[in-house]
Amino acid sequence: MLRILLDGLFVLNQNRALILGILAILIATGLALTFLLRPKTGQKSSYNHITLFFFFTTSLLLRLAYLRNVFIPPYFDSVEHFRIIKAMTEGLASHAFFDVFSGLTENYYHLGFHTLASLLAFGLRADPIDVMLVFGQITLTMLPIPVFFLIWRETKDQKAAFFSALLAGFGWYMPGFAINWGKYPAITGLLAFEVALLLITYLRFQKKYLVKNIQLFSIFISILIHSRTLVLFLISFLGYFLSRKIFALGKENQYKALKIEFLGILIFGILIYQQPLLKLALEPYINKSIWITAIIFLLTPFALRKYRQAVHFCLLFILLLFACLFIPINGILPGFETQTLLDRPFVEMSLYFPLSVLGGVGFSGLLQSLKNIPALSKRTYKSLNFLTALILFTLVGFLITKDYKFYPSDCCNFLGYDDTIAFEWINNNLPANISILVASNQLNVLPSTNSADLVGSDAGIWIPQLINRKIIMAPYELDFLSSETKDFLCHSQTNYIYVGNKEQSFNQSTLLQKRDWYQALLSLPNTQLFYITNCSN
Amino acid sequence: MQTTKQKTLLLILGILFSLTACRPKTEDVKETTPPHPEQINITYCNISHENLCVEGFGKESDGKLLILIKAENPSYRDIYIQSKEKDSSFTCSQSQDFPGNLYCTGETFLNGEDIALNIYTKKDKKLIASGNFTIQYGDITSPNDLSSENSATATQEPTYSYPNYPNYPNYPNSTP
């Protein structure tokens, strides 16, 4: 753990100006909201600011350690994000920001995120790559904070609030792992969703015009950052509405509703688990971190004693999240006929939220139920309360330190050291008008989607953005031994083949077997570049 | 009339804005590089604790050796290398986007050959690092090396542990 914190400090020192700049903006926004919108209830905040600051700082260093040996944002999504942010930043610099929009793709739907990132890059005079990397880690660090305040408001118990924040930050490898997928807009969208929910929850009884507008504006911003957060808001409002209705029912009916909720989750859970592609949505919560999920469900009966509405809300949230994987958006959005309300990665990333809230109220419920133990003196209760909290924190802390990965996953960190050297070598030695064949894979996110689209599967995908050479994508399983492949390459006027170091890169050994067709131009330990020869034959 | 809280807020915002706005341009920061530390023994990056290390070796199609360097300290980036064995120098190029990553090109060296490297700064030709290495071209098999190997090795099937099946999802989870 110390090594991770030291790596975090190293990254903090290297990018201090950018990190402090982004933090300054975020803290200023937070302070402005706190001062402007503080409810006049006369309540004083009783949470420990120092502990919260310590939690945030430690989390930040742990998150920054991720960037210790990362050159570029991971996975194929990041290339497109980078392209748009870079174009927008250049648009801002040349006063042509709005012209940039005309060049964006038809199905473009992360306007808010890209605008925000380009404003940061422009305002802080930073490289868009650095902004994506640093802002992503800061966003991840911020994610548990609104959850902390939500639970603190609901329970007035700061131990429970910290417990839920710990779960939201590190309980499962999601949403943190989504950084490996380059899901920057989705993570930022989740943070915006949490903040909007916080504003709505804290200020729900305020009738001020300004407050209502700010609440609506926060929802609007969240949807702009990532359009699928609209579905999360709908789920939240429906969950809140239904949980209120259930709460107003008699006890017997409440338990019936509870059974229906659990049964619904179970049925949808089985349906999801039966589909190999959808099954992955549950993996972070039932695979490695099954014990943390189990602790939360063990705490649920205690939560039911004190926070019944919150429990119903969380269960309905989970149920509706699962259901959204099966609800098609036929006819609602042209161009997205094969998609459902939420896709698998988004559900997988969002499940931490209801589970963390459930864990927080369960924790508080358990501590409060200790009061009901008969013949317990105040002093004994306090000791027991402290001991119970300590056991739970230690248990969850142990599980987190045992399993959590703070560094990039091998799956998705496309660009390694050798790739940076290969790119520079290409830039220095090859003409600008060449075409390079790069490895790709078929896009598969939902079982219903067609796999016609190809997405890059190694560092080659970054070539157009970083060294301005044209690329042609081909499936990574391409058989370079076949004459059909050779003919295809010659007809497509591809000059070079880039072989990266990922599992889904081209197979180098097949290229080496056909030395009369493919000549190795550059051979690095983890990256090779081949030249296609004898095309006239 | 402004309340104390609003004034405090404005003050905090003002300070934060000043901190952000007064930040020097990145180019300005880059210009001020620290002075050269003392001469170091250079070794491979996976075992080195220095700011200058060798990532490995590569080669071009004509057999020319590429020495792959990582220089975290900006003062180590404007360099050239001399090899004692062939009394030749290697010119170094810095990656535009990742300035800490460099490659140096020079004479041809065979796999397994020993090389003693002296690294100098271009500006004042000061020796900043030296080290001895045995050329290892990593796991790759170059076309020339391939011809010397037996054909069984050359024609072996590619071994993929991943993906497990053709339609592997594009957002893979952490491997167990």
Side-chain angles (χ1 to χ4, degrees):
Chain A
M1 190 58 82
L2 185 66
R3 189 177 66 91
I4 303 170
L5 290 171
L6 285 173
D7 280 349
L9 267 174
F10 179 86
V11 174
L12 178 66
N13 184 44
Q14 273 201 328
N15 302 281
R16 58 187 178 275
L18 178 60
I19 292 168
L20 291 176
I22 294 174
L23 281 177
I25 292 163
L26 289 173
I27 291 168
T29 313
L31 283 173
L33 287 173
T34 311
F35 276 90
L36 287 170
L37 305 173
R38 186 170 238 169
K40 306 279 186 293
T41 55
Q43 286 179 346
K44 278 190 173 180
S45 58
S46 59
Y47 58 87
N48 191 331
H49 292 83
I50 295 169
T51 318
L52 188 61
F53 176 77
F54 176 76
F55 176 80
F56 180 79
T57 313
T58 313
S59 300
L60 181 66
L61 291 179
L62 292 172
R63 292 295 184 200
L64 288 178
Y66 181 95
L67 305 180
R68 181 68 175 88
N69 290 310
V70 168
F71 295 112
I72 220 151
Y75 227 33
F76 62 86
D77 278 3
S78 296
V79 185
E80 189 63 1
H81 297 320
F82 171 72
R83 184 186 71 80
I84 296 169
I85 295 166
K86 192 179 163 200
M88 283 184 168
T89 312
E90 286 167 0
L92 281 166
S94 59
H95 308 288
F97 182 74
F98 293 103
D99 297 339
V100 173
F101 289 115
S102 57
L104 297 173
T105 56
E106 201 178 295
N107 295 332
Y108 174 62
Y109 59 104
H110 296 322
L111 175 72
F113 170 76
H114 294 130
T115 305
L116 188 63
S118 59
L119 283 171
L120 285 172
F122 178 70
L124 299 171
R125 299 167 198 170
D127 190 308
I129 286 177
D130 294 336
V131 169
M132 283 173 74
L133 288 171
V134 169
F135 186 54
Q137 297 311 116
I138 291 178
T139 310
L140 267 186
T141 313
M142 301 284 284
L143 270 185
I145 306 301
V147 178
F148 170 91
F149 284 110
L150 279 171
I151 297 299
W152 182 76
R153 191 193 184 280
E154 184 69 21
T155 64
K156 290 291 175 291
D157 180 344
Q158 68 166 326
K159 286 198 281 287
F162 275 116
F163 187 72
S164 60
L166 186 66
L167 291 173
F170 306 102
W172 304 270
Y173 67 74
M174 281 294 173
F177 189 85
I179 279 286
N180 288 299
W181 297 342
K183 289 283 182 188
Y184 295 100
I187 291 168
T188 315
L190 281 174
L191 178 64
F193 160 74
E194 284 184 4
V195 172
L197 216 57
L198 192 69
L199 289 173
I200 294 163
T201 313
Y202 265 63
L203 307 169
R204 64 184 156 190
F205 299 118
Q206 287 214 21
K207 303 274 185 244
K208 274 188 196 169
Y209 189 65
L210 173 72
V211 170
K212 293 289 163 209
N213 277 344
I214 288 176
Q215 287 173 332
L216 284 174
F217 186 66
S218 65
I219 295 173
F220 176 69
I221 291 290
S222 176
I223 296 166
L224 268 188
I225 288 172
H226 198 290
S227 52
R228 288 200 197 266
T229 56
L230 170 66
V231 181
L232 291 189
F233 283 114
L234 293 175
I235 288 174
S236 304
F237 294 138
L238 192 59
Y240 175 72
F241 175 76
L242 288 175
S243 62
R244 268 192 73 165
K245 289 279 175 204
I246 294 167
F247 192 62
L249 298 171
K251 230 175 182 181
E252 202 174 309
N253 285 329
Q254 282 186 29
Y255 278 104
K256 275 184 191 167
L258 194 71
K259 279 181 194 169
I260 293 168
E261 285 158 8
F262 270 118
L263 194 67
I265 290 172
L266 189 71
I267 291 168
F268 273 113
I270 292 167
L271 286 174
I272 290 168
Y273 213 73
Q274 281 175 340
Q275 301 212 34
L277 209 58
L278 293 184
K279 183 182 166 181
L280 292 162
L282 304 179
E283 268 196 8
Y285 308 92
I286 59 169
N287 194 0
K288 275 184 184 172
S289 302
I290 182 76
W291 292 112
I292 289 181
T293 312
I295 288 169
I296 286 166
F297 279 99
L298 286 174
L299 289 172
T300 304
F302 298 102
L304 272 170
R305 291 185 180 189
K306 182 83 180 159
Y307 308 104
R308 260 175 285 166
Q309 194 184 335
V311 174
H312 285 294
F313 171 79
C314 291
L315 294 177
L316 285 165
F317 198 108
I318 296 169
L319 178 61
L320 292 168
L321 264 185
F322 284 179
C324 285
L325 277 173
F326 298 93
I327 301 171
I329 48 174
N330 288 348
I332 303 172
L333 287 170
F336 294 95
E337 282 78 13
T338 53
Q339 293 209 22
T340 49
L341 274 178
L342 292 178
D343 59 22
R344 188 270 293 179
F346 198 83
V347 169
E348 191 173 352
M349 290 170 62
S350 311
L351 261 175
Y352 81 95
F353 177 74
L355 288 173
S356 304
V357 173
L358 199 56
V361 290
F363 185 97
S364 178
L366 173 65
L367 295 187
Q368 293 200 34
S369 67
L370 295 174
K371 278 183 188 166
N372 300 334
I373 299 174
L376 207 64
S377 71
K378 203 175 175 182
R379 200 173 161 180
T380 321
Y381 164 71
K382 272 193 169 179
S383 306
L384 197 61
N385 183 306
F386 175 77
L387 195 68
T388 311
L390 186 71
I391 290 170
L392 276 172
F393 269 106
T394 311
L395 186 61
V396 171
F398 169 75
L399 291 169
I400 289 169
T401 44
K402 190 169 77 70
D403 290 331
Y404 205 90
K405 302 272 186 293
F406 292 96
Y407 292 98
S409 168
D410 285 341
C411 72
C412 313
N413 192 16
F414 281 173
L415 197 113
Y417 172 88
D418 285 16
D419 298 299
T420 68
I421 296 295
F423 285 9
E424 192 58 28
W425 189 90
I426 293 169
N427 213 20
N428 291 340
N429 295 284
L430 300 181
N433 59 349
I434 57 167
S435 293
I436 304 174
L437 191 80
V438 301
S440 63
N441 191 12
Q442 290 172 329
L443 179 65
N444 286 299
V445 179
L446 286 167
S448 55
T449 51
N450 294 322
S451 303
D453 295 333
L454 289 175
V455 289
S457 57
D458 71 11
I461 191 74
W462 279 97
I463 286 173
Q465 294 306 320
L466 295 182
I467 50 171
N468 205 22
R469 283 353 185 240
K470 192 181 157 193
I471 58 166
I472 293 171
M473 287 200 278
Y476 71 95
E477 310 106 317
L478 197 65
D479 179 13
F480 288 103
L481 299 175
S482 82
S483 51
E484 286 85 6
T485 300
K486 179 73 187 338
D487 290 343
F488 157 73
L489 293 174
C490 288
H491 282 114
S492 63
Q493 294 184 325
T494 308
N495 317 104
Y496 301 89
I497 303 165
Y498 188 88
V499 183
N501 185 36
K502 303 312 293 177
E503 300 285 356
Q504 294 180 347
S505 289
F506 291 133
N507 187 352
Q508 181 214 152
S509 65
T510 55
L511 285 155
L512 290 169
Q513 286 175 52
K514 285 284 183 186
R515 277 176 292 145
D516 48 337
W517 289 355
Y518 313 108
Q519 180 199 355
L521 269 192
L522 176 70
S523 303
L524 303 178
N526 295 305
T527 303
Q528 293 80 44
L529 184 75
F530 289 86
Y531 177 63
I532 303 163
T533 59
N534 298 325
C535 262
S536 51
N537 297 344
Chain B
M1 186 142 176
Q2 284 183 323
T3 63
T4 317
K5 278 178 185 172
Q6 282 171 326
K7 281 178 185 170
T8 318
L9 169 68
L10 285 173
L11 183 69
I12 293 168
L13 284 175
I15 293 167
L16 290 172
F17 178 76
S18 310
L19 277 172
T20 312
C22 295
R23 192 174 78 78
K25 279 187 178 181
T26 322
E27 299 88 67
D28 302 337
V29 177
K30 279 176 184 170
E31 281 173 14
T32 55
T33 52
H36 302 302
E38 288 183 9
Q39 187 187 328
I40 57 166
N41 287 323
I42 190 169
T43 182
Y44 285 105
C45 294
N46 56 359
I47 52 168
S48 173
H49 300 291
E50 300 290 347
N51 285 323
L52 183 68
C53 57
V54 172
E55 275 282 349
F57 300 96
K59 64 177 164 184
E60 295 178 342
S61 55
D62 55 4
K64 276 187 178 173
L65 174 69
L66 262 69
I67 305 169
L68 313 178
I69 302 280
K70 200 169 184 179
E72 280 181 353
N73 186 335
S75 61
Y76 287 144
R77 290 173 186 170
D78 199 20
I79 56 169
Y80 67 93
I81 297 177
Q82 281 203 318
S83 80
K84 289 174 189 169
E85 284 74 16
K86 300 194 178 176
D87 194 25
S88 64
S89 66
F90 289 73
T91 52
C92 299
S93 297
Q94 196 179 347
S95 168
Q96 280 177 13
D97 293 302
F98 313 98
N101 300 350
L102 296 85
Y103 73 88
C104 308
T105 327
E107 288 285 314
T108 304
F109 277 79
L110 295 174
N111 201 23
E113 202 171 343
D114 290 331
I115 182 170
L117 302 177
N118 283 335
I119 302 181
Y120 298 88
T121 57
K122 272 186 199 166
K123 200 176 174 185
D124 48 14
K125 297 187 174 18
K126 186 186 169 189
L127 180 68
I128 54 167
S130 58
N132 297 308
F133 297 87
T134 303
I135 302 294
Q136 292 288 336
Y137 287 113
D139 297 330
I140 64 145
T141 317
S142 72
N144 293 335
D145 297 335
L146 189 72
S147 60
S148 63
E149 290 176 6
N150 65 48
S151 57
T153 315
T155 54
Q156 68 184 4
E157 286 296 309
T159 51
Y160 281 122
S161 58
Y162 161 100
N164 299 324
Y165 47 96
N167 290 325
Y168 195 84
N170 297 98
Y171 296 104
N173 284 338
S174 180
T175 45

